[in-house]
């Protein structure tokens, strides 16, 4: 008991060292530049999506209300990890405090769960618009849209607070070297000096509720959407329907594919190294590509951008 208490105090005092960066010192400057450019693109692209959605009245619809929230979330999501990664690249010092690591984990998991729920809400919006267009305005009322968004942000809070508390009350071994770019559940569990079966069960339950169930809902929604679209006699109508869905499908594919591989595959030393780089896909690359995907594939967004950028 005394030894466990000593380990806990030692961990709290020293914190952790992020060792995701294994590149030689000569490449740290390149890493800093790449991460800085990505962060600026994420901030600029997603801020622009929020701005045009608020300012352009033609985008005041449920679909763009959800997109605005998704873009704001992406800004928060990358701000949890990228600034610290920039500091590590620049200073070559991966140390992070115990409380800083706990805070980073909480916000990362909470925002990731919220994104999953928002993507499901966006799928429901597309289902209502394509499969039941006559009742769309009534179905996707302003009150329902606000409830879905607020619910997506708030329902994850107590769950992730519980998981974070459960994880950081574990005793950690003498090694505080975290083989990752940021504090995440699997690499932290690898450092624990206790039975983590309960933590693993909690993790898989959270994945089931906040990832697998929303993803299943999205798949079912799109099966029904595809059936409805294929019954549309007009070729132009089918093209327009698929066009409005393709952007959302692209984001869903990027987000869920990398997150699923990271959290649901069996872990080994080699897979941990792969997971570390896959994590960059859903925490950095996806937020960077989201505004690009939506602006390139969506005619209304492109028109709104032109009005914002070239109208005096």
């Amino acid at each position: 008991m005394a030894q466990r208490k000593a380990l806990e105090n030692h961990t709290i005092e020293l914190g952790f060292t992020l060792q995701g960066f294994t590149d030689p010192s000569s490449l740290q400057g390149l890493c800093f530049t790449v991460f800085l450019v990505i962060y600026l693109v994420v901030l600029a692209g997603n801020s622009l999506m929020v701005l045009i959605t608020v300012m352009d009245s033609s985008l005041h619809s449920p679909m763009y209300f959800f997109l605005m929230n998704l873009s704001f979330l992406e800004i928060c999501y990358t701000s949890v990890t990228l600034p610290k990664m920039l500091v590590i690249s620049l200073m070559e010092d991966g140390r992070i405090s115990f409380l800083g690591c706990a805070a980073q984990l909480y916000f990362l998991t909470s925002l990731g769960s919220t994104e999953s729920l928002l993507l499901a809400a966006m799928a429901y919006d597309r289902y209502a618009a394509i499969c039941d267009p006559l009742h769309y305005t009534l179905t996707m009322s302003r009150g329902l849209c606000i409830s879905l968004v607020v619910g997506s942000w708030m329902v994850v809070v107590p769950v992730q607070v519980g998981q974070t508390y459960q994880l950081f009350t574990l005793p950690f071994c003498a090694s505080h070297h975290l083989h990752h770019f940021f504090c995440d559940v699997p690499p932290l569990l690898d450092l624990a000096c206790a039975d983590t079966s309960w933590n693993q069960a909690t993790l898989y339950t959270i994945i089931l509720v906040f990832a697998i169930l929303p993803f299943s809902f999205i798949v079912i929604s799109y099966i029904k959407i595809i059936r409805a679209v294929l019954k549309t006699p007009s070729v132009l109508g089918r093209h327009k329907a698929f066009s409005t869905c393709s952007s959302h499908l692209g984001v869903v594919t990027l987000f869920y594919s990398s997150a699923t591989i990271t959290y649901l595959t069996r872990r080994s030393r080699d897979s941990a190294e792969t997971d570390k780089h896959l994590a960059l896909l859903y925490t950095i690359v996806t937020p960077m590509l989201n505004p690009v995907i939506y602006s390139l594939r969506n005619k209304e967004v492109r028109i709104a951008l032109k009005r914002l950028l070239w109208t005096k």
Side-chain angles (χ1 to χ4, degrees), residues 66-121:
F66 291 126
L67 178 57
M68 177 185 69
N69 278 273
L70 182 64
S71 296
F72 175 70
L73 182 142
E74 300 293 26
I75 293 172
C76 300
Y77 200 38
T78 51
S79 296
V80 173
T81 56
L82 263 175
K84 182 62 178 178
M85 290 166 64
L86 287 170
V87 172
I88 294 173
S89 299
L90 186 65
M91 306 299 294
E92 298 184 24
D93 183 3
R95 288 177 295 178
I96 184 170
S97 68
F98 184 82
L99 292 178
C101 188
Q104 188 180 67
L105 176 74
Y106 165 75
F107 285 111
L108 184 74
T109 53
S110 295
L111 292 169
S113 300
T114 298
E115 179 163 358
S116 181
L117 296 176
L118 279 177
L119 290 173

Side-chain angles (χ1 to χ4, degrees), residues 72-270:
F72 175 70
L73 182 142
E74 300 293 26
I75 293 172
C76 300
Y77 200 38
T78 51
S79 296
V80 173
T81 56
L82 263 175
K84 182 62 178 178
M85 290 166 64
L86 287 170
V87 172
I88 294 173
S89 299
L90 186 65
M91 306 299 294
E92 298 184 24
D93 183 3
R95 288 177 295 178
I96 184 170
S97 68
F98 184 82
L99 292 178
C101 188
Q104 188 180 67
L105 176 74
Y106 165 75
F107 285 111
L108 184 74
T109 53
S110 295
L111 292 169
S113 300
T114 298
E115 179 163 358
S116 181
L117 296 176
L118 279 177
L119 290 173
M122 294 172 77
Y124 178 69
D125 172 70
R126 290 300 82 207
Y127 164 78
I130 294 172
C131 297
D132 193 15
L134 296 179
H135 299 94
Y136 175 71
T137 304
L138 183 63
T139 302
M140 298 304 297
S141 64
R142 181 172 178 80
L144 177 63
C145 293
I146 292 174
S147 297
L148 287 173
V149 168
V150 172
S152 297
W153 283 92
M154 298 305 297
V155 73
V156 303
V157 172
V159 176
Q160 297 301 350
V161 166
Q163 179 179 234
T164 303
Y165 175 79
Q166 183 191 59
L167 180 58
F168 280 88
T169 52
L170 287 172
F172 292 97
C173 297
S175 174
H176 302 103
H177 299 297
L178 206 61
H179 294 283
H180 213 285
F181 296 101
F182 47 82
C183 294
D184 202 2
V185 178
L188 281 167
L189 288 177
D190 290 342
L191 294 184
C193 295
D195 181 17
T196 60
S197 56
W198 180 247
N199 300 83
Q200 294 281 359
T202 301
L203 175 62
Y204 289 134
T205 302
I206 291 173
I207 291 172
L208 173 65
V209 174
F210 293 114
I212 295 176
L213 290 181
F215 180 71
S216 300
F217 177 81
I218 293 170
V219 171
I220 293 170
S221 298
Y222 272 104
I223 289 173
K224 294 183 177 181
I225 287 171
I226 292 170
R227 286 177 179 173
V229 171
L230 292 177
K231 293 178 182 178
T232 304
S234 169
V235 176
L236 183 62
R238 288 199 297 269
H239 176 74
K240 183 178 180 181
F242 280 127
S243 178
T244 59
C245 295
S246 60
S247 301
H248 181 249
L249 277 173
V251 172
V252 166
T253 302
L254 276 174
F255 179 77
Y256 281 105
S257 59
S258 54
T260 299
I261 294 172
T262 300
Y263 288 101
L264 293 182
T265 53
R266 294 187 64 180
R267 295 183 58 77
S268 64
R269 181 171 296 180
D270 293 334

